[in-house]
Amino acid sequence: MDNFGSTRSAMIVGAGVAGLTAATALARKGWQVEIAEASPYRATAGWGLCLTGPSLRALDVLGLADACSAAGYGMSVITHVDVDGTPSDQVDLPRLIGAQRPAMVGIARPELHRILHAEAERCGVVVRNGLTVTAVDQQGDLVDVRLSDGTDRQVTLLVGADGIRSSVRDLMGLETPVDYLGQMVWRALVPRPEWATGIHQFAGKVNTAGLVPISSNRAYVFLTENGVPPNVLPDSELASRLADLLTAFPGRVTEIRPLVSASGSVVRRPVHTAFLTGAWNRGNCVVIGDAAHAPAPQMASGAALAIEDGLVLAEELERHETVGTGIEAFVERRAQRCRTLVATSVTIAGLEQAQRHSEAYPLVDACHRQMAQPV
Ligand SMILES: Cc1cc2nc3c(=O)[nH]c(=O)nc-3n(C[C@H](O)[C@H](O)[C@H](O)COP(=O)(O)OP(=O)(O)OC[C@H]3O[C@@H](n4cnc5c(N)ncnc54)[C@H](O)[C@@H]3O)c2cc1C
């Protein structure tokens, strides 16, 4: 049966990278889109992230790559530094959006979200904060959705873009384990040192660290702490604890350490991964982004997969007669790429923990080149 004879309406759960980009892509193809976002706040807190080539390529399709570049810091080289503090090699990343534009962009998360929000709303998407979905029931070609404010919607498509702990995935009965990889990742916002014009990655005897510029005057320091339980530390201790962990690194990290001690913005998060090995949908309900495939952050590519998902979903729904067949084509196009990235990120995390950095770097490089292939 043709679902597209009348209004095409979508409810998206989660206004993260996946939800906002899927909403924009669908709205541009004529869908009426509403987003239910659990957080009562419009702004996203947090550290920066790296938009790699595939992220920029997908954002460019939405016309947003240059806005992200302007709000962030464009760069094209990763410098790997050995445990003794000497640079071991430099990797030139492929420039997927043209030789004159950067291979990747470091950006503060609130800046990225501001850009994605503004574009979604410009396209007519309605974003409701402080709202979630409590029940889902498919009736024929329509999905009945009950929201946490007691109101109901009947839509042609429900998209769960609510992250690694997706409650939409649970409501759909799609079970997947969320694995803890034995690592905690740290991020600290610091002033950008002048020499930091690309990503630096520092191998350590126990942990790995690095620096990513996110604007002309700001950067974030990252550190991956190996072999620790996923415990929570008081916020007041984070800056000094991270500075302590950085004492093990020689070379340029000694310049970064005092910046971290003085940073007012330090976060520490457990490295979790998840991948839905079976179906990503039940009828006209589908999960995308981290809700379907959450890699470890080592490949800096979770946002790329999330943005690509939104574009491919909108494209396949446009191409197919029914929402069901469009969703099937979407999953068919996405599953292998996402599985490869999640699996590779898990392998890299293992190599880091085993101090096998010389094996991890080429794997990261090879995976970036694989991700550079067309979606
Ligand atoms: C420390 C760290 C560093 C990272 N660095 C990078 C990087 O440099 N580059 C990169 O590409 N990727 C990076 N990633 C991965 C990237 O952040 C994720 O892959 C990406 O954010 C996934 O987007 P998403 O929209 O699927 O999920 P999320 O970003 O998790 O967004 C989900 C949204 O849904 C909302 N939500 C949750 N539950 C509900 C509910 N029940 N109802 C309604 N709303 C709900 C949340 O509030 C949130 O707004 C990193 C991840 C971590 C943890």
Side-chain angles (χ1 to χ4, degrees):
M1 184 177 171
D2 184 358
N3 286 319
F4 295 159
S6 56
T7 316
R8 297 175 293 173
S9 57
M11 166 64 67
I12 296 181
V13 187
V17 179
L20 289 167
T21 48
T24 296
L26 287 167
R28 287 190 184 179
K29 293 194 184 297
W31 288 72
Q32 277 183 6
V33 186
E34 185 177 358
I35 301 184
E37 162 59 47
S39 167
Y41 309 109
R42 183 54 66 97
T44 294
W47 59 99
L49 88 169
C50 189
L51 297 170
T52 53
S55 286
L56 292 178
R57 177 173 58 193
L59 286 164
D60 207 30
V61 175
L62 295 173
L64 300 177
D66 288 333
C68 290
S69 205
Y73 191 95
M75 55 205 163
S76 298
V77 174
I78 301 182
T79 303
H80 293 129
V81 181
D82 272 341
V83 280
D84 62 3
T86 52
S88 59
D89 68 70
Q90 287 202 322
V91 178
D92 275 302
L93 292 168
R95 293 175 186 250
L96 300 190
I97 57 170
Q100 304 308 317
R101 295 156 92 197
M104 57 194 163
V105 164
I107 190 167
R109 275 188 194 249
E111 286 295 302
L112 175 63
H113 279 256
R114 178 184 59 73
I115 291 166
L116 299 182
H117 256 289
E119 184 58 18
E121 290 183 325
R122 201 188 64 76
C123 294
V125 174
V126 176
V127 183
R128 298 193 197 284
N129 283 86
L131 201 59
T132 189
V133 168
T134 55
V136 174
D137 184 24
Q138 181 149 352
Q139 298 288 343
D141 289 334
L142 296 171
V143 184
D144 289 331
V145 180
R146 167 60 57 98
L147 297 174
S148 52
D149 63 357
T151 61
D152 298 302
R153 304 286 189 275
Q154 194 168 59
V155 289
T156 28
L157 171 70
L158 175 75
V159 180
D162 51 346
I164 190 168
R165 304 274 176 198
S166 171
S167 57
V168 173
R169 194 176 61 209
D170 293 345
L171 288 171
M172 287 161 59
L174 300 173
E175 287 184 11
T176 188
V178 173
D179 297 320
Y180 175 60
L181 298 190
Q183 293 179 312
M184 297 294 281
V185 284
W186 295 76
R187 298 285 187 271
L189 279 181
V190 296
R192 183 181 72 84
E194 253 179 45
W195 50 264
T197 54
I199 295 180
H200 281 75
Q201 190 159 357
F202 305 100
K205 292 203 176 95
V206 180
N207 303 316
T208 47
L211 187 70
V212 180
I214 55 169
S215 72
S216 59
N217 56 7
R218 287 196 302 167
Y220 71 84
V221 174
F222 65 87
L223 181 134
T224 307
E225 193 183 0
N226 290 315
V228 280
N231 56 350
V232 177
L233 298 176
D235 285 352
S236 58
E237 288 181 18
L238 293 179
S240 59
R241 297 280 284 257
L242 177 55
D244 284 350
L245 289 167
L246 290 170
T247 51
F249 293 81
R252 285 205 141 138
V253 180
T254 54
E255 293 173 43
I256 299 170
R257 223 183 126 245
L259 306 177
V260 168
S261 298
S263 174
S265 179
V266 182
V267 292
R268 181 177 182 261
R269 297 274 184 277
V271 175
H272 284 121
T273 59
F275 184 78
L276 262 179
T277 46
W280 293 10
N281 73 304
R282 289 272 188 265
N284 291 11
C285 310
V286 63
V287 284
I288 67 170
D290 274 11
H293 44 72
Q298 278 84 343
M299 279 299 303
S301 295
L305 294 184
I307 302 165
E308 289 174 359
D309 275 358
L311 289 181
V312 174
L313 181 63
E315 263 174 41
E316 293 299 339
L317 288 169
E318 183 82 348
R319 257 184 216 152
H320 287 80
E321 287 284 300
T322 67
V323 171
T325 52
I327 290 176
E328 277 168 25
F330 158 73
V331 179
E332 175 74 23
R333 250 176 92 183
R334 299 299 294 153
Q336 182 57 45
R337 181 176 175 83
C338 298
R339 182 185 298 113
T340 300
L341 188 91
V342 173
T344 306
S345 73
V346 172
T347 305
I348 291 164
L351 290 171
E352 278 181 358
Q353 303 218 55
Q355 306 306 312
R356 288 158 59 188
H357 301 294
S358 58
E359 290 167 65
Y361 292 153
L363 193 55
V364 172
D365 191 26
C367 191
H368 276 305
R369 283 173 205 285
Q370 199 173 348
M371 284 286 290
Q373 299 304 313
V375 181

